[in-house]
Amino acid sequence: MLLFLRRRTLTSLLPLLFVLIGVFVLARLTGNPTSLYLPESATPEQRHVFAATHGFNNPIWQQLLDYLKGIPHLDFGTSLRTGETAASMALRAFPNTLQLAVATMVLSIVIAVVLGSWAAYRPNSLADGISSVLSMTAGSVPDFWFAIMGVWIFAVILGVLPTSGVDNGLLSWVLPVATLAVRPVGVLTQVVRGAMVSALSAPYVRLARSKGATDVRLVTHHALRNAAAPALTVAGDLAVGLVNGAVVVETIFGWPGIGKLMIDSIVGRDFAVLQACVLLTALSIFVLNILIDLGYALLDARVRETVKA
């Protein structure tokens, strides 16, 4: 397993470096932040001092080299907007995004397993119809539409949920989590249903049924374990998408996570904070992919044999 982790880490370093350099270059194509933070009446000397203080007057290759050299020490520079270190701002926002993603995935998996198992056990039933409607809705309607509809119905018309922020306890979580969960629930329900249909028709399940196993035991002790492997793979991809998709939801609901901080940094040309956010997001996706591969290896003996080879 250590060999697997080493291989996985080495193969991920090059894409990670490509992303960091790409974001670094693209951020600077948005323009010089000097014109954004200094008044039009600023003298050339004032502009020169500002650029020199933040390193903007250095060649871009020198700025990139300084940025890469600071990564091992978590030194990304200071924010142009707040004067705080970029690392502290990113690390403060990241837990909020992580909590949002974890809550969404837990809710999505629970609902998908229940609906998918029910639909597979009773084809053409009400649950089967609900799962089909959910999957089609999730695939055709963008997240921001659900967010806007949620705010309009539950916050504006009914007035039972807050429109944004995190100051209302659990109520603040309802709309962001529900919006993010629509797509994972729809996709996962279909995956679980398909895997469960295959598992429930397997010979070992028929044998267990002939021995008198109850319906609940057939699903939970025999079929669900084998159906978990494909569902885990899809859940991992969806979780990676959640980290990226949280940018839109956090912006709409004013959620103080890494996605909102990233958007604010782009608008404010706050390069140091943007680079810290991108690095933290890329690393989290990298770790998440490794955890998914490890989980898949634990569930499937064929994967374990491949890893050993």
Side-chain angles (χ1 to χ4, degrees), residues 19-97:
V19 169
L20 296 182
I21 295 176
V23 169
F24 181 91
V25 174
L26 289 174
R28 275 144 185 83
L29 292 179
T30 61
N32 191 332
T34 304
S35 58
L36 192 65
Y37 287 90
L38 291 183
E40 293 183 0
S41 59
T43 63
E45 289 75 17
Q46 289 175 317
R47 295 179 185 277
H48 178 75
V49 169
F50 181 88
T53 301
H54 299 282
F56 297 137
N57 56 351
N58 293 328
I60 191 169
W61 64 266
Q62 182 66 53
Q63 296 180 43
L64 176 61
L65 191 61
D66 292 340
Y67 165 55
L68 295 177
K69 286 165 62 178
I71 289 178
H73 310 288
L74 293 181
D75 181 10
F76 303 101
T78 57
S79 168
L80 295 176
R81 293 176 297 141
T82 66
E84 291 184 73
T85 63
S88 64
M89 292 178 69
L91 290 173
R92 188 169 61 243
F94 184 69
N96 294 327
T97 297

Side-chain angles (χ1 to χ4, degrees), residues 262-292:
M262 207 178 296
I263 293 296
D264 292 343
S265 301
I266 292 172
V267 173
R269 295 179 190 168
D270 205 348
F271 298 154
V273 179
L274 174 62
Q275 288 158 188
C277 291
V278 170
L279 176 63
L280 201 55
T281 304
L283 284 176
S284 65
I285 292 175
F286 163 67
V287 172
L288 185 58
N289 280 324
I290 287 185
L291 292 177
I292 292 166

Side-chain angles (χ1 to χ4, degrees), residues 97-109 143 176-185 188 234-250 258-259 281 284-285 288:
T97 297
L98 187 63
Q99 291 170 7
L100 191 63
V102 170
T104 301
M105 283 312 299
V106 170
L107 178 68
S108 302
I109 290 172
D143 291 343
V177 170
T179 301
L180 282 173
V182 172
R183 186 178 301 278
V185 166
L188 276 176
V234 176
D237 292 338
L238 291 170
V240 171
L242 274 183
V243 177
N244 294 321
V247 172
V248 176
V249 173
E250 287 180 3
I258 201 89
T281 304
S284 65
I285 292 175
L288 185 58

Side-chain angles (χ1 to χ4, degrees), residues 110-122:
V110 170
I111 295 175
V113 167
V114 172
L115 277 181
S117 300
W118 189 17
Y121 201 79
R122 300 180 186 281

